[in-house]
C-alpha cells in the first residue's frame, strides 16, 4: 500500500484498486498538494467536520460516488446533501472490502460549518492488513494507549503536532510513546501561522525517546511501508 500526504490532516491510502481519502481539505488549503478535482477516492473517512477536515468532502463524494464515513450527526448532515454515508458513533466499526475503520475518541470540539454539533473522532484503520491510527484533532490523553493496544499493533500513527488547536510537538512525543507505532508521520502543522512548528525537531525528539521511526512528509509525498 501507499500512503500519500496531501496537507493538513489529509492522507490517501491506495492499493491500486481502492483509494481511501481522509479529511480532504484541499481547495481552501494554501499548502494542499492537489486540488479536489484531482482525487478519485472510493471511500472518504472524516475525523470531524471542522472546515480544515471536512473540506471538499461533499463535492468530491458527489462527483466520485465515494462512500463517506463520519460520526452519526455529521453523517446525517452529509447524507442530507446527497452523499452516500455510513454513520457510526465512537466505538463503531465500518467494514469495507479493503478492511475496516473504527471511530475512536479524540479530545477536541466540533461543529460543522453548517452548524451541526458532533463528537470529533480518531480513526483506527485496517487497510489491507496495515493498521493506521489517525489521531484526528486531539489533545494528549492516556486512552491513546488503550486504542493502540486493543488489537494488532499500530503500523503507522498519523499525529497532529502543530499545537494551538491540537496537541503540540512536545505533547506529541508522549502520544507517540503511548501509541508505540512502528512509524509516526506528523500532520496538522505549518498550514497556518498559529500551527507552525519544527517537524524535524519532533522527529529527532521522538526517535530519541521511543522505538518509532518518524517519517516527515511534505504535501504530495508518499510513504510506502516495506
Ligand atoms: Ni478541528
Ligand atoms: Mn483541525
Amino acid at each position: 500500500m501507499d500512503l500519500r500526504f496531501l496537507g493538513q490532516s489529509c492522507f490517501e491510502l491506495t492499493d491500486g484498486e481502492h483509494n481511501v481519502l481522509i479529511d480532504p481539505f484541499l481547495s481552501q488549503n494554501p499548502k494542499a498538494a492537489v486540488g479536489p478535482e484531482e482525487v478519485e477516492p472510493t471511500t472518504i473517512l472524516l475525523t470531524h467536520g471542522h472546515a480544515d477536515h471536512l473540506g471538499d468532502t461533499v463535492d468530491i463524494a458527489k462527483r466520485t460516488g465515494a462512500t463517506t464515513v463520519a460520526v452519526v450527526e455529521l453523517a446525517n448532515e452529509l447524507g442530507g446533501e446527497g452523499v452516500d454515508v455510513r454513520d457510526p458513533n465512537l466505538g463503531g466499526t465500518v467494514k469495507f472490502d479493503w478492511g475496516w475503520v473504527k471511530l475512536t475518541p479524540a479530545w477536541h470540539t466540533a461543529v460543522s460549518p453548517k452548524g451541526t454539533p458532533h463528537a470529533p473522532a480518531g480513526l483506527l484503520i485496517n487497510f489491507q492488513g496495515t493498521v493506521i491510527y489517525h489521531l484526528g484533532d486531539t489533545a494528549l490523553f492516556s486512552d491513546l494507549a488503550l486504542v493502540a493496544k486493543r488489537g494488532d499493533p499500530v503500523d503507522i500513527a498519523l499525529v497532529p503536532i502543530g499545537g494551538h488547536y491540537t496537541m503540540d510537538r512536545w505533547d506529541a512525543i508522549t502520544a507517540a510513546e503511548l501509541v508505540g507505532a512502528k512509524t509516526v508521520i506528523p500532520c496538522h502543522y505549518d498550514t497556518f501561522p498559529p500551527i507552525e512548528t519544527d517537524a524535524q525537531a519532533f522527529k529527532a525528539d521522538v526517535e530519541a525517546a521511543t522505538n518509532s521511526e518518524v517519517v516527515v512528509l511534505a504535501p504530495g509525498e508518499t510513504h510506502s511501508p516495506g
Side-chain angles (χ1 to χ4, degrees):
M1 63 154 284
D2 286 339
L3 181 153
R4 186 164 66 135
F5 180 49
L6 297 177
Q8 189 69 343
S9 294
C10 182
F11 292 87
E12 184 182 51
L13 313 175
T14 307
D15 64 5
E17 180 182 359
H18 310 93
N19 297 317
V20 177
L21 184 65
I22 305 167
D23 285 359
F25 171 56
L26 300 174
S27 63
Q28 301 302 309
N29 179 357
K31 302 287 177 68
V34 299
E37 69 288 344
E38 295 176 83
V39 291
E40 296 294 336
T42 53
T43 310
I44 298 172
L45 309 178
L46 295 177
T47 61
H48 64 299
H50 277 158
D52 58 317
H53 300 261
L54 179 66
D56 303 287
T57 294
V58 172
D59 288 346
I60 295 168
K62 288 170 86 166
R63 175 175 58 78
T64 61
T67 298
T68 300
V69 179
V71 74
V72 57
E73 289 81 7
L74 180 60
N76 287 344
E77 179 190 304
L78 299 175
E81 296 183 63
V83 175
D84 175 41
V85 291
R86 299 292 181 275
D87 66 347
N89 209 318
L90 300 181
T93 300
V94 181
K95 293 181 178 173
F96 291 92
D97 51 0
W98 48 260
W100 49 262
V101 58
K102 178 189 293 288
L103 297 195
T104 70
W107 270 104
H108 192 61
T109 64
V111 178
S112 74
K114 292 196 169 172
T116 305
H118 58 281
L123 304 170
L124 187 66
I125 301 162
N126 186 315
F127 183 75
Q128 303 290 25
T130 299
V131 178
I132 299 137
Y133 185 8
H134 192 310
L135 272 57
D137 277 5
T138 188
L140 178 63
F141 66 116
S142 59
D143 282 355
L144 296 168
L146 185 67
V147 171
K149 79 174 190 185
R150 54 141 308 278
D152 291 333
V154 176
D155 295 301
I156 303 171
L158 308 175
V159 178
I161 66 166
H164 194 77
Y165 301 114
T166 68
M167 65 173 83
D168 60 23
R169 73 175 173 90
W170 295 276
D171 283 355
I173 299 167
T174 302
E177 290 173 349
L178 292 173
V179 173
K182 291 190 198 92
T183 302
V184 171
I185 298 177
C187 63
H188 211 276
Y189 68 97
D190 283 2
T191 311
F192 310 108
I195 61 171
E196 287 175 358
T197 198
D198 186 340
Q200 292 299 335
F202 170 73
K203 173 180 168 69
D205 290 344
V206 169
E207 291 183 346
T210 76
N211 292 322
S212 299
E213 177 194 14
V214 177
V215 176
V216 177
L217 297 177
E221 290 186 337
T222 296
H223 173 65
S224 302

